[in-house]
């Protein structure tokens, strides 16, 4: 690098789409201090490098695909997509715009130069199928996209000072066939890769070097020109048009032969010669000097002088490079040497520079290869100034500039380096000053020690990269696994939430049974999780079972809390089941608070799955960046309710009298016995009554009774499906005990009354009988079924009555949804019953308030009266209809 000048200097920035500029359409041309730039949009910019200002911007009616500058005449030619070819005079830009007030208002105030709309009259060759063009001194060459073949057309160029519109067509030839891209009917579709056209002149031709651009025109040495295009082109001193097609063909057409073919028609295929096939889209054609002496001489040429190139190059989109040069064979004969190189791709753009170097850009880097370091002449019989061969392989040198979509190489600078003009994918125009003599040194001798050290460094680097790849692969695998798990979780959530009232794809059923653990009977709940869906429950899923007793649910200020069991769900595939058994009681006080609610929920842990993938705790990867905390999910997870099951007194009753002789019925549950009390009980006399509160209450206090009456018609409608042919009282008792383990024995014996034992050891008697309600309906008595609960324990009778009322509420709600109607009733009688109940409720409140203020002697009578009122309330004269 010469001096302290920066290697890369940004000149200006231009608008680009969100994803950046696409390769193939942007163009950068440089003439003296002016830069002509197209980003592939409708705008063409003119930038002054000396002043550092944008001097003009031309707006075309559609995207601009290609630019070429005819420098001596100060004419800028632009190919507008689906419109045709436009010509702008740079000396009189105002002629190319309309002068309406709308155009003056449309100027962008943020830009330092006016946006000049191009007048429709500037279109000199309207053709919607035009895809490429190139210019010679007196000929305009175009390439048109036909229905199935490419078509090359030649037009006469007007003389300087005349109207720039081309004259009549002087030649036409069809090139190879192609598969047209799909498009809208009546509107040709733009090809993904545009064809490339450039003109080639022999060194003896008098055609001036008027074109400046990525692939405008160049002059070849006579030796290479004759070997490539034949004796006819050499004798005629005719320019040749090279055409690189999107299918990979590199072909040529001799212009004078094409012009004379109109007057002497012949085989049109003879006019087109295929030089090579790259088998990938051709994106660049150029030429350069590769011989060392010739290259040094070429660098000293003035900018306007022609350089006679001795090597032709062409680039394919995927990195294949073709180089053709005149070289000596083993017999001393001059032959064309053709070599293909495979370079890193995809290639976005390319340019030929001085010193036999070719620049090409990929999405990740801007590289340079040197074609001047070829082989020496093959034998001593060739002259020393004879051409050398092409290098057997090319090693691209990185310039550490990425995403260049258009490139232009200027002549050698005064400091002795090379200057590149580049446009990046982000729309930045920049200059790159290169001193390639220092950046591309020749191979130096290496000692054994330095070679060994270099090998160690390379092996160490390979090891570090391998370790990093291993860590990154592990991280990618974890995140892919997390994404798969999240997708499964989304599918499971949608399936459960959209199931409604129908069968759920993932269900959890709960059943209860008594089990003997050590010296005590324990009520066990069995929850069965069944996966009937097509999804799998894997990492992150947990089955949460919450057990909530009645004391915790009713007393919000109590210290007790619900118990939650968490069971990880691992590999529960479609059709699989998972069974979990857990105790419901007794509690620490030795009793069982009924009812008990068992709620089953599926929980998906987002922090376990997503957090583990983004910030794995077991990872010691020094290459992975630490995951920021705001990326992790705020919520712990997602809860999906599955089921809610209530365990009440009717499910927990034991019936020792129904057990078969060879089986042992579960003994009633009670508080943990004191060892001293157990010893004294075993020592009491035979025939004596056991002492204790329960036995005394059963012996001296009358049993408490609660009843509820239900219409026989309502019960028959509700129980008709599973109890046909069974007496109504027996069917009702079986329905009440449907979730009890003894229901099969009750069904087999056709019982209508039964006596069981509560978990605390008290007896509970269930009686179902038919009665007639004579005072409710004026039309006659209403047949009803009375369900009566008797027990010496007030707590047990409350729990049993609560269980019966809960089942009745569910049944009445279901029958009401089916449109059942009630008979005519005596409204006055119902009002009287309701008033009596209101009076009793007010008396209950008064008695409870009195108990809080009275002494022990007075509170006994109040408590007895309170019990009597409760008994009256539990014997309503109403009936469920």
């Amino acid at each position: 690098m010469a001096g302290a000048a920066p290697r890369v200097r940004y000149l200006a920035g231009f608008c680009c789409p969100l994803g950046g500029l696409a390769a193939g359409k942007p163009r950068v041309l440089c003439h003296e201090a002016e830069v002509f730039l197209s980003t592939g949009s409708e705008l063409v910019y003119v930038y002054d490098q000396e002043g550092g200002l944008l001097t003009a911007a031309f707006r075309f009616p559609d995207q601009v695909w290609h630019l070429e500058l005819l420098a001596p005449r100060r004419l800028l030619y632009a190919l507008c997509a689906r419109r045709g070819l436009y010509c702008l005079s740079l000396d009189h830009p105002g002629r190319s715009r309309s002068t309406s007030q709308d155009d003056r208002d449309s100027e962008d105030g943020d830009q330092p130069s006016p946006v000049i709309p191009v007048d429709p009259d500037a279109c000199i060759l309207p053709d919607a199928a035009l895809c490429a063009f190139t210019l010679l001194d007196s000929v305009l060459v175009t390439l048109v996209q036909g229905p199935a073949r490419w078509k090359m057309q030649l037009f006469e160029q007007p003389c300087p000072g005349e109207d720039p519109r081309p004259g009549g067509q002087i030649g036409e030839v069809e090139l190879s066939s192609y598969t047209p891209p799909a498009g809208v009917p009546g509107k040709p579709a733009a090809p993904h890769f545009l064809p490339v056209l450039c003109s080639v002149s022999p060194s003896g031709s008098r055609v001036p070097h008027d074109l400046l651009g990525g692939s405008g025109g160049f002059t070849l040495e006579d030796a290479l020109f004759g070997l490539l295009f034949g004796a006819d082109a050499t004798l005629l001193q005719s320019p040749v048009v090279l055409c690189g097609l999107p299918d990979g063909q590199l072909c040529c057409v001799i212009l004078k032969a094409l012009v004379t073919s109109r007057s002497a028609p012949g085989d049109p295929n003879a006019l087109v010669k295929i030089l090579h096939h790259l088998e990938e889209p051709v994106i660049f054609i150029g030429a350069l000097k590769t011989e060392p002496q010739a290259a040094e001489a070429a660098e000293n040429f003035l900018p306007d002088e022609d350089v006679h190139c001795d090597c032709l190059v062409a680039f394919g989109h995927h990195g294949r490079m073709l180089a053709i040069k005149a070289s000596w064979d083993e017999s001393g004969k001059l032959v064309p040497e053709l070599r293909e190189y495979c370079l890193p791709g995809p290639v976005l753009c390319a340019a030929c520079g001085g010193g036999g170097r070719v620049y090409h850009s990929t999405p990740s880097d801007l590289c340079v290869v040197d074609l001047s370091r070829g082989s020496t002449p093959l034998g001593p019989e060739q002259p020393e100034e004879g051409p050398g061969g092409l290098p057997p392989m090319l090693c691209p040198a990185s310039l550490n500039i990425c995403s260049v979509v258009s490139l232009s190489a200027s002549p050698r600078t005064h400091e002795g380096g090379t200057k590149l003009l580049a446009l990046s994918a982000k729309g930045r125009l920049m200059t790159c000053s290169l001193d390639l003599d220092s950046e591309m040194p020749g191979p130096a001798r290496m000692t054994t020690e330095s070679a060994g050290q270099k090998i160690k460094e390379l092996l160490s680097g390979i090891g570090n990269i391998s370790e990093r790849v291993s860590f990154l692969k592990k991280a990618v695998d974890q995140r892919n696994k997390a994404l798969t798990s999240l997708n499964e979780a989304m599918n499971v959530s949608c399936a459960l939430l959209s199931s409604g009232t129908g069968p759920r794809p993932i269900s959890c059923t709960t059943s209860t049974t008594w089990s003997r653990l050590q010296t005590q009977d324990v009520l066990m709940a069995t929850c069965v999780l069944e996966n009937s869906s097509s999804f799998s429950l894997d990492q992150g899923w947990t089955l949460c079972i919450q057990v909530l007793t009645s004391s915790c649910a009713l007393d919000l200020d109590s210290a007790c809390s619900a118990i939650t069991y968490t069971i990880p769900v691992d590999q529960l595939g479609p059709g699989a089941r998972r069974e979990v058994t857990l105790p419901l009681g007794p509690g620490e006080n030795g009793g069982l608070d009924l009812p008990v609610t068992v709620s089953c929920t599926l929980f998906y842990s987002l922090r376990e799955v997503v957090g583990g993938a983004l910030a794995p705790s077991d990872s010691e990867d020094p290459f992975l960046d630490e995951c920021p905390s705001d990326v992790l999910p705020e919520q712990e997870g997602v809860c999906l309710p599955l089921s809610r099951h209530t365990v009440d007194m009717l499910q927990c009753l034991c019936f020792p009298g129904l057990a078969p002789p060879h089986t042992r019925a579960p003994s009633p549950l009670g508080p943990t016995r004191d060892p001293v009390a157990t010893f004294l009980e075993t020592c009491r006399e035979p025939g004596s009554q056991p002492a204790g509160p329960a036995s005394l209450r059963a012996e001296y206090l009358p049993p408490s009774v609660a009843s509820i009456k239900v219409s026989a018609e309502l019960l028959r409608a509700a129980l008709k499906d599973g109890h046909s042919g069974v007496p109504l009282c027996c069917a009702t008792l079986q329905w009440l005990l449907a979730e009890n383990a003894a229901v099969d024995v009750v069904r087999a014996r056709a019982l209508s009354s039964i006596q069981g034992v509560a978990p605390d050891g008290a007896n509970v008697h269930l009686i179902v009988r038919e009665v007639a309600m004579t005072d409710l309906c004026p039309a006659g008595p209403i047949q009803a079924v009375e369900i009566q609960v008797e027990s010496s324990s007030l707590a047990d009778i409350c729990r049993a009555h609560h269980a019966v009322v809960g089942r009745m509420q569910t049944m009445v709600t279901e029958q009401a949804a089916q449109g059942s109607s009630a008979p005519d009733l005596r409204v006055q009688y119902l009002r009287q019953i309701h008033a009596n109940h209101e009076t009793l409720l007010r008396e209950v409140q008064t008695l409870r308030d009195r108990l809080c203020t009275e002494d022990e002697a007075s509170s006994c009578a109040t408590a007895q009266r309170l019990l009597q009122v409760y008994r009256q309330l539990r014997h309503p004269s109403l009936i469920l209809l």
Side-chain angles (χ1 to χ4, degrees):
M1 186 80 56
R7 184 168 176 239
V8 176
R9 185 166 68 95
Y10 291 101
L11 301 180
F14 300 91
C15 296
C16 66
L18 185 61
L21 299 179
K25 306 294 191 306
R27 289 289 185 270
V28 175
L29 306 179
C30 182
H31 177 59
E32 297 179 349
E34 285 185 315
V35 177
F36 303 91
L37 182 142
S38 167
T39 62
S41 64
E42 297 87 356
L43 294 175
V44 173
Y45 304 93
V46 182
Y47 180 81
D48 184 8
Q49 295 188 73
E50 293 180 350
L53 294 175
L54 189 66
T55 58
F58 300 97
R59 185 186 299 278
F60 287 81
D62 210 326
Q63 296 179 355
V64 175
W65 282 354
H66 188 60
L67 288 178
E68 286 201 10
L69 178 67
L70 200 58
R73 304 184 188 182
R74 297 284 294 168
L75 296 178
L76 181 66
Y77 289 81
L79 173 59
C80 191
R82 293 172 292 272
R83 300 284 181 166
L85 185 61
Y86 286 73
C87 180
L88 304 180
S89 175
L90 300 178
D91 292 330
H92 305 285
R95 296 178 183 176
S96 302
R97 61 168 297 183
S98 58
T99 57
S100 65
Q101 182 66 32
D102 294 341
D103 294 337
R104 290 191 292 270
D105 295 340
S106 66
E107 294 178 2
D108 191 353
D110 296 336
Q111 297 197 21
S113 62
V115 177
I116 303 175
V118 175
D119 194 273
D121 293 339
C123 183
I124 61 173
L125 185 62
D127 191 344
L130 191 60
C131 291
F133 76 96
T134 187
L135 296 167
L136 279 81
D137 183 50
S138 59
V139 177
L140 168 66
V141 183
T142 64
L143 194 64
V144 176
Q145 180 182 358
R149 300 176 71 91
W150 295 102
K151 185 185 296 184
M152 182 181 293
Q153 297 175 340
L154 271 64
F155 298 89
E156 286 184 342
Q157 279 280 77
C159 297
E162 298 180 358
D163 186 2
R165 297 179 183 276
Q169 180 176 330
I170 58 175
E172 178 179 296
V173 65
E174 287 187 345
L175 305 183
S176 64
S177 60
Y178 72 103
T179 302
V184 180
K187 184 177 181 181
H192 185 65
F193 292 97
L194 294 176
V196 180
L197 284 182
C198 67
S199 61
V200 182
S201 301
S203 59
S205 174
R206 298 184 177 274
V207 177
H209 186 62
D210 290 341
L211 299 178
L212 296 170
S215 56
F218 45 85
T219 303
L220 287 182
E221 288 186 348
D222 291 339
L224 180 60
F225 188 89
L227 291 173
L228 287 178
F229 310 121
D232 293 342
T234 305
L235 292 175
L236 292 173
Q237 289 290 296
S238 168
V240 176
V241 174
L242 287 178
C243 180
L245 298 178
D247 63 354
Q249 292 189 56
L250 180 64
C251 54
C252 64
V253 176
I254 302 174
L255 292 186
K256 290 186 178 180
L258 181 58
V259 172
T260 57
S261 65
R262 295 176 62 90
S263 58
D267 184 8
N269 295 328
L271 300 174
V272 181
K273 179 181 178 182
I274 298 178
L275 298 179
H276 192 71
H277 204 304
L278 281 177
E279 299 180 355
E280 58 188 62
V282 179
I283 58 115
F284 173 78
I285 302 174
L288 71 163
K289 275 283 188 181
T290 61
E291 295 300 326
Q293 301 85 358
E296 292 176 2
E299 291 172 356
N300 297 324
F301 269 73
L302 295 176
D304 293 334
E305 293 187 56
D306 289 346
V307 177
H308 300 168
C309 304
D310 60 5
C311 182
L312 179 71
V313 295
F315 268 96
H317 174 67
H318 300 296
R320 187 171 293 182
M321 173 184 169
L322 171 69
I324 307 176
K325 184 180 180 182
S327 181
W328 303 100
D329 63 2
E330 296 178 355
S331 61
K333 183 180 179 181
L334 199 62
V335 294
E337 181 184 3
L338 184 147
R339 284 187 184 271
E340 274 194 8
Y341 304 98
C342 290
L343 302 179
V347 177
L348 305 181
C349 60
C352 294
R357 298 180 178 98
V358 182
Y359 305 89
H360 67 279
S361 171
T362 67
S364 60
D365 207 350
L366 178 62
C367 302
V368 56
V369 293
D370 191 354
L371 290 175
S372 64
R373 297 178 179 178
S375 59
T376 58
L378 295 176
E381 66 276 1
Q382 284 104 18
E384 292 184 1
E385 64 273 9
L390 291 169
M393 61 179 298
L394 295 178
C395 297
S398 172
L399 300 181
N400 298 322
I401 304 172
C402 65
S403 301
V404 173
V405 295
S406 186
L407 195 62
S408 176
S410 64
R412 190 174 180 88
T413 62
H414 297 293
E415 292 80 3
T418 300
K419 184 177 179 182
L420 299 179
L421 195 64
L423 178 66
S424 71
K426 298 300 182 182
R428 288 184 173 184
L429 180 65
M430 51 190 168
T431 59
C432 311
S433 300
L434 307 175
D435 185 6
L436 293 177
D437 293 336
S438 61
E439 296 197 19
M440 295 186 63
R445 290 186 175 272
M446 184 177 295
T447 62
T448 306
E449 292 78 6
S450 60
Q453 182 63 28
K454 186 67 174 179
I455 292 174
K456 289 181 181 179
E457 293 175 358
L458 291 176
L459 291 177
S460 176
I462 293 173
N464 292 336
I465 293 176
S466 177
E467 183 180 3
R468 182 178 183 182
V469 168
S470 177
F471 279 120
L472 292 177
K473 185 177 184 301
K474 180 180 178 182
V476 170
D477 291 342
Q478 287 180 340
R479 297 185 182 187
N480 287 339
K481 186 177 180 181
L483 287 175
T484 303
S485 179
L486 286 174
N487 184 48
E488 288 283 343
M490 179 65 70
N491 293 331
V492 171
S493 302
C494 293
L496 285 176
L497 296 177
S498 62
S499 59
T501 58
R504 313 199 79 182
I506 298 177
S507 61
C508 189
T509 57
T510 304
S511 59
T512 57
T513 183
W514 289 96
S515 179
R516 189 75 175 177
L517 294 180
Q518 297 179 353
T519 60
Q520 193 177 26
D521 289 326
V522 179
L523 183 64
M524 306 295 292
T526 302
C527 301
V528 179
L529 178 65
E530 185 172 3
N531 184 8
S532 302
S533 69
S534 59
F535 311 111
S536 179
L537 303 182
D538 296 325
Q539 178 192 8
W541 288 103
T542 303
L543 176 63
C544 300
I545 304 175
Q546 184 186 62
V547 178
L548 181 67
T549 59
S550 59
S551 59
C552 297
L554 298 177
D555 191 1
L556 300 179
D557 298 329
S558 62
C560 66
S561 60
I563 302 175
T564 302
Y565 302 88
T566 58
I567 301 94
V569 180
D570 188 18
Q571 300 295 331
L572 188 68
R577 301 174 47 154
R578 186 68 47 81
E579 185 175 302
V580 180
T581 302
L582 48 93
L584 298 181
E588 295 179 356
N589 59 355
L592 182 61
D593 293 329
L594 295 176
V596 177
T597 302
V598 181
S599 301
C600 299
T601 304
L602 268 181
F603 177 76
Y604 183 76
S605 176
L606 291 174
R607 286 198 171 264
E608 177 185 350
V609 177
V610 180
L614 295 181
S617 59
D618 59 342
S619 174
E620 300 179 356
D621 184 6
F623 306 105
L624 293 178
D625 296 332
E626 183 178 357
C627 179
S629 58
D630 56 352
V631 176
L632 298 176
E634 296 180 359
Q635 297 181 347
E636 292 290 336
V638 179
C639 290
L640 300 173
L642 293 180
S643 64
R644 184 183 179 91
H645 182 77
T646 301
V647 181
D648 54 25
M649 176 62 77
L650 294 181
Q651 300 178 40
C652 299
L653 287 176
C654 297
F655 304 99
L658 298 182
H662 61 278
T663 61
R664 178 184 178 275
S667 61
L669 180 68
T672 304
R673 299 294 299 273
D674 185 14
V676 177
T678 304
F679 173 74
L680 292 177
E681 184 178 351
T682 58
C683 295
R684 66 182 176 83
E685 297 179 1
S688 61
Q689 296 293 330
S695 60
L696 293 176
R697 183 172 61 244
E699 181 177 1
Y700 296 104
L701 292 179
S704 300
V705 180
S707 65
I708 183 172
K709 299 180 180 66
V710 189
S711 167
E713 181 180 357
L714 179 62
L715 281 174
R716 288 191 185 95
L719 306 178
K720 61 182 179 179
D721 294 336
H723 300 83
S724 59
V726 181
L728 186 58
C729 294
C730 299
T732 303
L733 185 60
Q734 296 170 20
W735 172 65
L736 292 174
L737 299 176
E739 295 178 301
N740 194 290
V743 65
D744 294 332
V745 181
V746 174
R747 186 182 295 110
R749 298 188 182 184
L751 300 177
S752 61
S753 65
I754 191 171
Q755 182 170 342
V757 181
D760 60 356
N763 292 329
V764 178
H765 194 191
L766 294 176
I767 303 171
V768 183
R769 59 191 172 193
E770 294 191 29
V771 295
M773 305 292 291
T774 58
D775 300 329
L776 287 177
C777 182
I782 298 177
Q783 297 298 321
V785 173
E786 183 183 28
I787 303 171
Q788 184 173 303
V789 182
E790 296 180 0
S791 178
S792 58
S793 172
L794 185 60
D796 290 337
I797 198 170
C798 290
R799 295 185 179 114
H801 187 255
H802 178 271
V804 173
V805 171
R807 283 162 171 75
M808 292 300 171
Q809 287 178 339
T810 303
M811 179 190 67
V812 170
T813 303
E814 293 176 353
Q815 293 302 313
Q818 298 179 7
S820 302
S821 59
D824 294 334
L825 301 176
R826 292 176 177 174
V827 180
Q828 187 63 32
Y829 180 72
L830 293 177
R831 289 176 178 173
Q832 183 63 39
I833 294 176
H834 180 69
N836 294 341
H837 277 268
E838 291 290 336
T839 304
L840 292 176
L841 290 175
R842 286 193 295 270
E843 185 177 358
V844 167
Q845 187 63 40
T846 303
L847 292 173
R848 293 183 64 179
D849 294 341
R850 190 186 304 171
L851 281 175
C852 299
T853 59
E854 291 180 341
D855 56 6
E856 185 177 356
S858 302
S859 63
C860 183
T862 303
Q864 290 181 358
R865 176 56 187 163
L866 185 60
L867 288 176
Q868 292 176 2
V869 175
Y870 274 137
R871 289 191 183 100
Q872 293 179 22
L873 287 174
R874 293 190 181 277
H875 280 283
S877 301
L878 297 176
I879 181 175
L880 292 177
L881 298 174

